Amino acid sequence: MASERDRASRPLHDLVGELLDQEGPLPIVAAGNPVLRRPAERFDGQLDPGLLSRFVAALRATMHAAPGVGLAAPQVGVPLRLAVIEDPAPVSEEVRVVRGRLPQPFRVLVNPVYEGVGAGRAAFFEGCLSVPGWQAVVARHAEVRLTALDELGRTVDEVFTGWPARIVQHETDHLDGVLYLDRAEVRSLSSNQAMAERWTQPTPAEAAAALGFALPD
C-alpha cells in the first residue's frame, strides 16, 4: 500500500484512476489524515472529462451510501477543489421551518468560494462523515453567496440560505483544510447516542443551557 507521502506526490489523474478501480463506494478518510488539513488544489483540467464524470458519479454514490448530504474530494483522499451536495431533506415540517431545510438537487461544486451575506448567524448541531460518531453545534453564516463552476465548466453564482447555506459552507471548508470541529462550540460535542437520547429538538437551545455554551443572538 502506498504511503501518505507517496499518495500526496502522485498526479491527481493517477490517484483518481486508482480509486475508481475499486468496486463499491469509495473509502472515506477520517480526521487525522493530513489530506483533510491541507488546502486542496484548484481544479484546472487535471482530470479529463471522462475521468471527471466517473469521479463525480463515485462521489455521489459514496455520499448516498454513507449516507450524507455532501462530500468533498479530500474526504476520499483526493486533494482537489471539488465537492458534491444533495439533500432530500427527509425532516418534519417543524424542523424544516426552524432550520430552513429544503430539498436540494444534486449539485457539483468546482473551485467553490463563499462569503457571508449580512450579519445573521445560525447555530445548529452538525456532523461530518470524516468525524464519525460525533456532532457539535456550529454557528455559521445564515446566508452566503457561493461562486463556483459546475462539472461542465458553467459559472455558479448563487445565494444560499438556511440549511443549504450550512451544507455549502461545510463542504467548501473541507477544501480549505477546515473541519467543522474547528468552528464548533467545544462544550456541545456529543456522541450520536447522546444526540438520539437528549438533543433531538429542532434547535440546540436545551443543549446550550444544559452543557453550558452560548448561542448567537
Side-chain angles (χ1 to χ4, degrees), residues 7 15 32 38 40 44-45 56-57 73 84 90 99 110-111 127 130 136 152 173 177 188 193 196-197 204 213 216:
R7 286 173 62 86
L15 178 58
R38 292 191 293 261
D44 189 23
V56 164
V84 297
R99 300 183 186 175
V110 179
N111 299 333
S130 291
L152 299 178
D173 279 356
S188 72
Q193 180 178 348
E197 293 175 351
F213 61 91

Side-chain angles (χ1 to χ4, degrees), residues 7-188:
R7 286 173 62 86
S9 64
R10 294 184 62 196
L12 289 174
H13 187 281
D14 293 350
L15 178 58
V16 171
E18 181 181 277
L19 274 177
L20 296 181
D21 285 341
Q22 306 175 46
E23 294 185 4
L26 303 177
I28 295 175
V29 302
N33 189 311
V35 72
L36 295 174
R37 288 311 199 173
R38 292 191 293 261
E41 183 177 328
R42 283 182 61 82
F43 179 78
D44 189 23
Q46 296 94 329
L47 310 182
D48 63 61
L51 187 59
L52 176 62
S53 178
R54 290 174 58 211
F55 186 42
V56 164
L59 287 173
R60 187 182 191 184
T62 302
M63 174 179 64
H64 288 170
V69 296
L71 188 67
Q75 292 183 272
V76 296
V78 178
L80 189 62
R81 202 166 183 85
L82 172 71
V84 297
I85 64 172
E86 184 176 13
D87 184 13
V91 296
S92 68
E93 179 67 9
E94 181 183 14
V95 169
R96 183 190 70 78
V97 171
V98 170
R99 300 183 186 175
R101 187 169 177 182
L102 298 173
Q104 287 297 297
F106 178 69
R107 306 280 295 268
V108 180
L109 305 178
V110 179
N111 299 333
V113 177
Y114 70 81
E115 59 182 10
V117 176
R121 307 280 287 179
F124 293 103
F125 277 101
E126 65 181 77
C128 179
L129 298 177
S130 291
V131 189
W134 299 90
Q135 298 182 47
V137 172
V138 183
R140 293 192 182 271
H141 298 292
E143 188 173 8
V144 296
R145 178 184 179 188
L146 182 85
T147 55
L149 299 175
D150 69 10
E151 69 275 26
L152 299 178
R154 299 173 298 199
T155 298
V156 176
D157 188 342
E158 189 171 338
V159 173
F160 290 82
T161 61
W163 206 260
R166 181 170 296 270
I167 294 172
V168 299
Q169 289 173 84
H170 181 113
E171 299 308 327
T172 303
D173 279 356
H174 270 302
L175 306 179
D176 294 326
V178 175
L179 295 178
Y180 85 99
L181 291 174
D182 300 331
R183 304 190 187 280
E185 291 288 346
V186 176
R187 294 180 70 95
S188 72

